[in-house]
């Protein structure tokens, strides 16, 4: 006898839940953590290393540096100098937490002012612990202007962190300035 009112009440509650779902977001994940690299505009110097703060060298001896020679924004940038025809040079950002399965875009500006071979590159790398799972890259050999670089990739299933690497490969001989590195999770 009492089943009819309780069934009606359940129906009303279900309808309310359905109506409220888009408003409350239901069980959808909350806002994603910020993914912009620390010191991506290279304004902060680590005085003990002479490198942009929060960025680590790809190899040693390192010939990269914090530089006031040019800037795409602010007053400073990262200088990647590679005059060794058999060695690579680069700077890697701090690790940034990411959501696996989501698509990410890394961007940067590079000004190549000296180039005898190769080019200068932007990498987006995905990590699971200390293991690099995958990376995507792009590069330019254009000289004498700020050139925008952009790479996009979906974070692999097991990935927990991403880094951005600004880089001159072993084949590269020259000098470039990087500025305004960003990483964004795409909708
Ligand atoms: Ca800057």
């Amino acid at each position: 006898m009492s089943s009819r009112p309780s069934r009606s009440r359940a129906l009303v509650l279900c309808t309310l839940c359905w109506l409220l779902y888009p408003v409350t977001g239901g069980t959808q994940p909350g806002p994603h953590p910020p993914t912009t690299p620390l010191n991506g505009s290279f304004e902060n110097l680590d005085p003990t290393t002479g490198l942009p703060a929060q960025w680590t060298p790809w190899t040693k001896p390192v010939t990269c540096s914090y530089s006031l020679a040019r800037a795409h924004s602010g007053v400073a940038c990262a200088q990647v100098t590679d005059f060794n025809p058999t060695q690579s040079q680069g700077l890697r950002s701090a690790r940034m937490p990411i959501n696996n399965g989501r698509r990410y875009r890394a961007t940067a500006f590079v000004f190549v002012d000296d180039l005898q071979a190769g080019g200068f590159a932007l990498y987006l790398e995905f990590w699971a612990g200390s293991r690099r799972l995958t990376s995507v890259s792009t590069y330019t050999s254009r000289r004498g202007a700020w050139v925008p670089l952009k790479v996009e990739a979906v974070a692999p299933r097991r990935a927990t962190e991403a880094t951005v690497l600004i880089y001159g490969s072993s084949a590269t001989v020259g000098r470039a300035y990087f500025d305004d590195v960003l990483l964004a999770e795409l909708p």
Side-chain angles (χ1 to χ4, degrees):
M1 293 294 281
S2 63
S3 66
R4 182 180 289 268
S6 70
R7 207 178 292 151
S8 303
R9 213 176 297 140
L11 184 65
V12 169
L13 278 172
C14 282
T15 308
L16 272 174
C17 287
W18 181 79
L19 284 171
L20 286 172
Y21 181 83
V23 178
T24 61
T27 56
Q28 287 178 331
H32 299 298
T35 46
T36 299
L38 291 169
N39 197 23
S41 60
F42 303 109
E43 296 301 303
N44 300 319
L45 165 70
D46 182 340
T48 61
T49 62
L51 297 174
Q54 309 286 348
W55 290 76
T56 54
W58 167 264
T59 189
K60 289 182 179 174
V62 57
T63 56
C64 304
S65 65
Y66 170 94
S67 175
L68 297 170
R70 293 182 186 280
H72 184 262
S73 73
V75 298
C77 71
Q79 178 178 315
V80 177
T81 308
D82 181 1
F83 288 117
N84 185 321
T86 59
Q87 267 207 338
S88 314
Q89 285 289 334
L91 291 170
R92 179 176 276 143
S93 74
R95 303 285 190 98
M96 294 164 279
I98 50 94
N99 298 294
N100 61 50
R102 303 288 304 209
R103 190 169 187 83
Y104 288 85
R105 174 189 294 157
T107 53
F109 286 87
V110 60
F111 190 111
V112 181
D113 82 333
D114 188 346
L115 192 65
Q116 293 151 42
F120 285 89
L122 173 71
Y123 279 73
L124 170 56
E125 306 168 301
F126 292 106
W127 302 80
S130 60
R131 195 154 68 91
R132 189 170 78 161
L133 298 174
T134 184
S135 70
V136 288
S137 67
T138 184
Y139 80 100
T140 185
S141 301
R142 186 177 162 201
R143 286 193 291 173
W146 285 105
V147 176
L149 298 177
K150 179 178 81 174
V151 284
E152 282 185 22
V154 173
R157 195 166 48 85
R158 295 186 309 283
T160 56
E161 294 171 308
T163 52
V164 175
L165 172 69
I166 54 176
Y167 184 71
S169 79
S170 56
T172 296
V173 178
R175 178 176 56 221
Y177 303 93
F178 286 82
D179 206 352
D180 294 335
V181 178
L182 294 172
L183 179 70
E185 183 180 300
L186 301 182

